[in-house]
Amino acid sequence: MASLLSDRKETMRDIFGATILKLSKEDERVYVVDGDLANSTKIDGVALQNPEKFLQMGIAEQNMLSVCSGLAATGLQPWAVTFAAFLSKRAIDQIQVQIAQPNLDVKMIGAYSGLLTGLTGKTHQSLEDIAIFRSLANMTVLAPADSVEVKKMIEFAHQYNGPVYIRLARDPYPIIFDDDYEFQVGKAVSLKEGSDLTIISTGTQTSRAIKAAESLQAEGLSIAVLHMPTIKPLDKEAIVKAAEKTGVIVTAEEHSIYGGLGSAVAEVLVEEKPVPMLRVGVNDRNSESAPNQELLEKYGISENHIAETVKRALKKARQ
């Protein structure tokens, strides 16, 4: 059986950089606001090719989001770009009071999200950003699985009037979607059908969930994969349908098990369709700096851990 994952890999940040440069040239409202990380986040193309649309705020994230609030209040559309760890934790007061509460049209890009930020250091890792942003009223929270979905999400956010948070990964990921893929906010995407259990995944964990499901199929297990690109608003209907069809759920995310996708799915199931469920994510512990594969294994979020969790969930369901 051919894999759902392409052999070709692309980085989310490269596609984001190219897409936002294009938008900044086409739409006079679009401004890119940088937190002194343009080279890392790949928005340096805007600084070089469309400098009048590039605003450098330096290492001052709180001020950066306040400036974005002011820009949006005048009818412009600012795109605040920095690392997810800095955006979600250093500037959360400004985001809540000056952007989310007044429901302003500010787009926030959390680059270098999750556990795998290379060797940049543990202070740059972000395992809490989904939990933080989905708790804010008026906030839309998105996590793409590949570079194709990144482009589609950016195009959606550009047309949408309101605050949006998009988390991006640093490293290249396999292509999952064709160029004609249509992203729909608040809608899950069925990537693989199955009858024994459904893995509900988001962001970077979706490619690992696919690998786990395909390896389990070789062992005779029929595992569905449901990609959740929108964490808020959540596709509750798709979650309930998955629970009704397979009767067992495993969630997978490159995020803390607290407050993220796993918590959101559990909230739906406990109210609508209680079924056996387990979560794959980083447990209640602080992360550390190390090579990516070692981090995946140590913190229990690799495709092998997803597969093992699926087996545990099936065993739990039979008891």
Side-chain angles (χ1 to χ4, degrees), residues 24-193:
S24 74
K25 291 180 176 180
E26 294 175 348
D27 188 342
E28 61 181 10
R29 299 175 305 129
V30 172
Y31 279 77
V32 178
V33 187
D34 177 39
D36 199 32
L37 289 167
N39 179 258
S40 296
T41 60
K42 300 304 180 182
I43 56 171
D44 48 354
V46 180
L48 295 171
Q49 300 181 49
N50 198 14
E52 66 272 18
K53 291 296 198 74
F54 181 85
L55 302 178
Q56 175 58 263
M57 296 292 106
I59 307 175
E61 291 82 9
Q62 293 171 333
N63 179 64
M64 179 174 76
L65 273 297
S66 292
V67 168
C68 287
S69 172
L71 292 171
T74 68
L76 300 175
Q77 188 183 80
W79 290 68
V81 187
T82 185
F83 288 177
F86 307 153
L87 188 63
S88 63
K89 287 174 277 191
R90 290 185 182 173
I92 187 59
D93 184 46
Q94 284 70 25
I95 292 170
Q96 163 69 349
V97 175
Q98 296 178 304
I99 295 172
Q101 284 185 359
N103 199 24
L104 292 180
D105 191 27
V106 178
K107 314 308 174 186
M108 290 155 280
I109 305 298
Y112 281 53
S113 69
L115 189 65
L116 306 187
T117 59
L119 297 174
T120 54
K122 61 184 179 181
T123 58
H124 290 48
Q125 292 164 330
S126 178
L127 299 172
E128 311 85 8
D129 55 311
I130 293 175
I132 291 168
F133 276 101
R134 85 176 187 96
S135 71
L136 302 181
N138 296 323
M139 189 66 63
T140 295
V141 182
L142 308 177
D146 70 359
S147 61
V148 173
E149 197 166 47
V150 170
K151 184 175 185 294
K152 303 294 184 176
M153 284 183 176
I154 299 305
E155 292 170 349
F156 154 77
H158 175 235
Q159 297 298 323
Y160 174 78
N161 183 23
V164 177
Y165 173 68
I166 306 176
R167 72 178 336 228
L168 302 182
R170 177 187 185 277
D171 294 336
Y173 278 82
I175 302 299
I176 297 172
F177 299 105
D178 297 329
D179 290 337
D180 59 357
Y181 163 69
E182 294 184 8
F183 167 74
Q184 292 181 279
V185 67
K187 294 296 182 182
V189 183
S190 176
L191 296 177
K192 184 179 181 300
E193 294 294 328

Side-chain angles (χ1 to χ4, degrees), residues 292-311:
N292 286 349
Q293 192 58 41
E294 282 84 346
L295 287 171
L296 286 173
E297 296 299 338
K298 180 168 183 176
Y299 290 91
I301 63 172
S302 69
E303 54 262 33
N304 293 332
H305 283 92
I306 296 174
E308 291 169 4
T309 304
V310 166
K311 292 177 181 179

